Amino acid sequence: MLDLLVGYWISRMLHAVARAGIADRLAKAPQTAKQLAQASGTNAAALHRVLRALASVGVFKEDKQRRFALTPLGETLRSDVAGSMHAFALMMPDDYNWSSWAALERSLEDGGVAFERVHGQRIFDWLGRRPREMEVFSRSMGNLSAMEAPAVAAALELDGVRTLVDVAGAHGGLLATILKANPKLRGVLFDLPDVIEQARQSPVWRSRALSSRVEFVSGDYLQEVPAGADAYIMKYIVHDLDDGRAVKLLKNCRRAMNQRGRVLVVDAVIPPGNDPSWGKLLDVNMLVLTGGSERTREEFSSLLGRAGLRLARILATACPLSVVEAAAV
Ligand SMILES: C[S@@+](CC[C@H](N)C(=O)[O-])C[C@H]1O[C@@H](n2cnc3c(N)ncnc32)[C@H](O)[C@@H]1O
C-alpha cells in the first residue's frame, strides 16, 4: 500500500528528468550528477538525490564513482530511440493533467469532468490554444502508438479495403504502420487543423514511398469525416467521448463510408473480473480529463446500435487494445 500511495513521487521525478533531458545526455556515457547538472541547468545536489531515488526503482544505475548510467528501462526516456516514452513522460504528469487528477474528488462528487472544472474548458479546446502542449501531446500519443501499432496492424483483416481513414490519427504513427503492412492500401489522415500541419512535418512521413499513399485532411469529427472510404479506424478516440458525442462521431462515419464500409474502433474493451487491466486505469483517466470512458463489449454493442451500426466482431491484439469491428445494420 505504501508503494501505491507514493506512486506520484515517482511519476513526477520521471517528468522532471525528462524535462531536463537527462536520458539523452546519458546516451553515450555515464556521467555524475554534477556533470549532468551543469549541462541541464539544474542543481547538482538535488539532481543527485532524484537520480539516486530513480536508480532505486530501476531507471538508472549509479557506480562507485557516483556516475549514473541508463538501465534498459531508463533507455525508454531517451527521445531518439525506438520504444521512446520521453514525450509521454513530458505529457502525462505535466501540470495540466496533474492539477486535473488533483481534482479527482470533484469528479467523484457528481461524475463531472475534473479537467473542465479546473481549466474551464474541454481538453481538446484547451490544447488547441496551446501549440506547444498540443505538439507534445501528439508526440506522446505517437510513443504509445509505436508500441501498439504493430499489434493492431497485425490483427486487422483488411480484405477488400482500398482506402482507410484514420479518424483523429494525430501524427499518423498507426496509419503509417498499417500502410507499410498493406502495400496496396491508400490512407487518409484526419485530425484538427493544427495537428495535421504538424503531422505533415513528422518524421513518420519522411519516406516518399509512404507519403505518396497518404492524404492529409483536417476538420472536426463531430461535424463530418472524409467521405467515400472503405474503412474508418479510430484509436483512442471513442474513449475520449461521452455516449452522446460518441454516437455523433459513429453516425458521421456511418454516413461517410462506402456501402459495404466498416468502422474499426480501437480501444481497450473492459474485461470482466479483477485481473490487472490497462483499460480500467485508463477509464478513470478519461473520467478526469475528457468525460469519456472505456467500455465493455455490451456497451460497445449498444453504442454502435444507436449509430445505425452493428458489432460484427471484436479482434484481440497482442497489446491491451482490441479492434471493435462494425458494419452498417
Ligand atoms: C487521444 S488522441 C489519439 C490520437 C491517435 N488516434 C492515437 O491513437 O495515437 C485524440 C486525438 O483526437 C484529436 N481530436 C480531438 N478532437 C477532435 C475533433 N473534434 N476532430 C478531429 N480530431 C480531434 C486530437 O487532436 C488527437 O490527435
Side-chain angles (χ1 to χ4, degrees), residues 124 134 138 166-171 189-196 199 216-221 237:
F124 288 110
M134 183 54 126
S138 297
D166 188 348
V167 178
H171 289 178
L189 182 65
F190 179 75
D191 208 296
L192 295 169
D194 287 351
V195 177
I196 287 298
F216 296 93
V217 180
S218 65
D220 174 354
Y221 55 43
I237 301 305

Side-chain angles (χ1 to χ4, degrees), residues 22-161:
I22 298 299
D24 283 346
R25 298 178 202 284
L26 290 176
K28 290 216 176 74
Q31 293 189 49
T32 62
K34 197 170 167 195
Q35 291 169 313
L36 290 164
Q38 265 163 10
S40 61
T42 52
N43 176 277
L47 183 62
H48 183 263
R49 291 162 68 182
V50 168
L51 296 181
R52 182 177 61 187
L54 286 174
S56 79
V57 294
V59 179
F60 302 106
K61 275 185 307 217
E62 185 179 8
D63 67 15
K64 294 216 167 70
Q65 288 79 45
R66 298 179 51 135
R67 290 176 313 184
F68 288 93
L70 294 170
T71 63
L73 187 60
E75 284 280 339
T76 65
L77 287 180
R78 285 177 57 185
S79 62
D80 56 350
V81 288
S84 173
M85 293 296 285
H86 179 253
F88 199 83
L90 293 178
M91 185 277 285
M92 201 69 245
D94 200 356
D95 290 353
Y96 68 93
N97 288 322
W98 187 257
S99 54
S100 306
W101 267 91
L104 170 63
E105 278 174 70
R106 296 182 62 184
S107 288
L108 278 185
E109 281 163 16
D110 62 2
V113 187
F115 182 95
E116 290 168 22
R117 300 284 172 76
V118 175
H119 298 285
Q121 53 190 326
R122 293 174 59 76
I123 186 166
F124 288 110
D125 295 335
W126 187 92
L127 283 169
R129 293 190 181 86
R130 287 166 182 78
R132 192 190 68 81
E133 280 86 354
M134 183 54 126
E135 194 274 331
V136 174
F137 178 85
S138 297
R139 272 195 294 123
S140 82
M141 292 311 300
N143 285 173
L144 289 193
S145 262
M147 289 193 293
E148 296 158 346
V152 173
L156 291 175
E157 292 176 16
L158 294 176
D159 336 322
V161 176

Side-chain angles (χ1 to χ4, degrees), residues 184-205:
K184 293 201 173 133
L185 187 66
R186 298 194 68 80
V188 177
L189 182 65
F190 179 75
D191 208 296
L192 295 169
D194 287 351
V195 177
I196 287 298
E197 276 321 299
Q198 292 162 0
R200 288 178 197 276
Q201 316 301 326
S202 165
V204 169
W205 301 108

Side-chain angles (χ1 to χ4, degrees), residues 272-294:
N274 298 303
D275 286 343
S277 163
W278 163 238
K280 288 179 184 176
L281 295 179
L282 197 56
D283 179 52
V284 182
N285 194 47
M286 294 304 118
L287 171 67
V288 168
L289 298 182
T290 69
S293 63
E294 307 306 324

